[in-house]
Amino acid sequence: MIVAQGMMRVRGLTAIALTALLACSSGGRAPAAVNDTLAESGRPARLLSEWGLFADLKTLTPADGVVPYHLATPLFTDYALKYRLVYVPEGLAARYDPKEAFAFPVGSILVKTFAYAPDLRHPDDGVRPIETRLLVHSARGWRAFAYVWRADLTDAELKLAGATIPVSFTAPDGRMRHIRYQVPNMNQCKACHVLGREITPIGPKARNLNVAHDYGDGVVENQLVHWTRLGILEGAPADPDAAPRVPAFDDRRAPLAARARAYLDVNCGHCHRPEGPASTSGLFLTWDQPVGPNLGIMKRPTAAGRGAGSLLYDIVPGRPDESILLYRMESTDPGVMMPELGRTIVHEEGVALIRAWIASLDEEGGGR
């Protein structure tokens, strides 16, 4: 069993600089340059270090040209801390899109490391990585690879078939949690990342990147502006206020409806959209979905089976306990729970947010 401990976490808004335990490990220094040939081939490397994404694997310091970023509202994964990096080959740039994930050129790599602190009420203390996922844009399309960190944290090893890792931690509400963290296999990666028939990134959309990021050394800059300045993004508005933006789901300064819609967008919208795997449900939860039946307002489910419980409608305005959406979010039954993948426990804060939002809705689905 892994009990998160022994690594310092630098704030999520800063560059990754995990040091404590890794600094004491015996791992070697990763190559300084990203392995472009490997990325273009679509073949996985056996070890994470072979990609050359880190200048120093012991501290997870990104290599030159590998840029840290974060999402305004991230997808929930059993309270795991997440550290994101993006790499775009030199001389190339992602193409801005105001609605969908940016169009990254071949050779680009999106990196996401999942980690836990022993007590998430103090998320900067004792952080330990569990898994690093790569989404690689090869010449044959996007490829998803999961790497599980060795016990001595010297490197992470490829796990094409996935893995289950026991993890214990204290959750933000102070309760001790013992989970069986799920590393997805390749098919499970596709289940969330498929759009149409192609694997595609989910997170790096303008609305979720349009927020300031602390890059360290006193550099705090809007991510769209920063990416443009580095030359890894083209076509973005010069003024980020002209680009779409979602709030952090837990930012109580933002309107309740906006926080709820941002949460549903990133946690559910990649499947629940007309082009997604859950299109036949008719329930669409993307950020820009108009209020109405397709958002779930007084909508009867089409194929929920026992996932609906004894309830009749996806969302009943003003009545969260009569809403299938909340019922499924509160479940950990594999035949009922939503999302189906990526969690084994209930996201208490997310449930509280959606409960409050549904309770606030008027009969037409508008917020009060």
Side-chain angles (χ1 to χ4, degrees):
M1 173 180 294
I2 291 175
V3 178
Q5 61 181 2
M7 183 180 292
M8 179 181 71
R9 175 200 179 209
V10 176
R11 293 290 296 176
L13 295 182
T14 70
I16 295 175
L18 308 174
T19 57
L21 185 57
L22 286 183
C24 298
S25 67
S26 57
R29 182 175 293 274
V34 175
N35 192 331
D36 289 322
T37 302
L38 188 60
E40 293 175 8
S41 74
R43 292 183 289 102
R46 187 177 65 85
L47 297 175
L48 178 63
S49 58
E50 295 175 44
W51 290 93
L53 292 160
F54 300 95
D56 189 341
L57 198 62
K58 293 189 296 183
T59 59
L60 286 182
T61 303
D64 287 345
V66 181
V67 181
Y69 73 98
H70 76 281
L71 304 182
T73 287
L75 186 146
F76 174 75
T77 310
D78 283 354
Y79 290 105
L81 305 169
K82 299 178 182 179
Y83 306 93
R84 292 177 172 84
L85 304 169
V86 58
Y87 169 72
V88 177
E90 186 173 359
L92 300 178
R95 187 171 67 253
Y96 175 83
D97 189 304
K99 180 178 179 179
E100 303 293 351
F102 298 155
F104 290 88
V106 169
S108 298
I109 305 176
L110 300 173
V111 186
K112 184 162 57 176
T113 294
F114 298 73
Y116 284 91
D119 186 342
L120 290 175
R121 293 171 298 181
H122 308 285
D124 293 340
D125 299 332
V127 176
R128 180 185 178 98
I130 302 296
E131 174 202 2
T132 295
R133 296 179 193 171
L134 305 185
L135 197 58
V136 181
H137 195 190
S138 76
R140 298 182 293 167
W142 287 95
R143 297 288 187 270
F145 306 121
Y147 290 83
V148 174
W149 282 87
R150 292 171 173 167
D152 62 5
L153 303 181
T154 55
D155 210 330
E157 300 179 357
L158 179 68
K159 297 292 181 183
L160 293 177
T164 300
I165 304 171
V167 179
S168 295
F169 60 91
T170 300
D173 63 4
R175 285 192 290 172
M176 191 68 191
R177 299 296 191 112
H178 305 281
I179 67 168
R180 294 176 62 79
Y181 178 88
Q182 301 296 313
V183 178
N185 60 40
M186 292 188 70
N187 287 332
Q188 289 171 321
C189 292
K190 293 178 182 177
C192 288
H193 281 275
V194 69
L195 185 64
R197 293 186 176 182
E198 304 294 332
I199 293 179
T200 185
I202 294 174
K205 298 183 174 77
R207 58 183 177 271
N208 239 330
L209 292 171
N210 192 4
V211 62
H213 186 99
D214 186 345
Y215 294 92
D217 297 329
V219 178
V220 179
E221 192 168 36
N222 178 281
Q223 294 183 119
L224 299 182
V225 174
H226 189 75
W227 287 27
T228 298
R229 186 168 61 78
L230 293 179
I232 64 172
L233 177 65
E234 61 183 14
D239 181 357
D241 287 340
R245 176 183 288 134
V246 299
F249 83 97
D250 56 354
D251 183 358
R252 294 183 178 277
R253 299 168 299 178
L256 174 62
R259 294 193 289 125
R261 293 295 302 271
Y263 184 88
L264 294 174
D265 179 53
V266 77
N267 281 278
C268 314
H270 49 281
C271 284
H272 282 278
R273 56 180 294 172
E275 311 87 348
S279 61
T280 57
S281 71
L283 176 65
F284 305 141
L285 298 172
T286 51
W287 170 253
D288 55 356
Q289 177 63 38
V291 172
N294 286 124
L295 186 61
I297 307 299
M298 298 304 294
K299 175 188 172 302
R300 290 183 179 273
T302 57
R306 71 184 184 90
S310 59
L311 305 177
L312 298 178
Y313 302 100
D314 290 336
I315 295 176
V316 182
R319 300 178 181 179
D321 288 325
E322 297 180 20
S323 301
I324 296 171
L325 180 73
L326 192 67
Y327 171 72
R328 303 192 75 164
M329 288 180 62
E330 290 180 322
S331 176
T332 55
D333 181 336
V336 174
M337 63 187 282
M338 283 287 173
E340 295 176 324
L341 301 172
R343 72 174 178 93
T344 62
I345 56 179
V346 174
H347 186 197
E348 303 290 352
E349 295 77 11
V351 165
L353 172 64
I354 300 305
R355 173 178 290 281
W357 173 60
I358 295 176
S360 76
L361 298 177
D362 59 28
E363 292 184 356
E364 303 299 322
R368 291 195 291 267

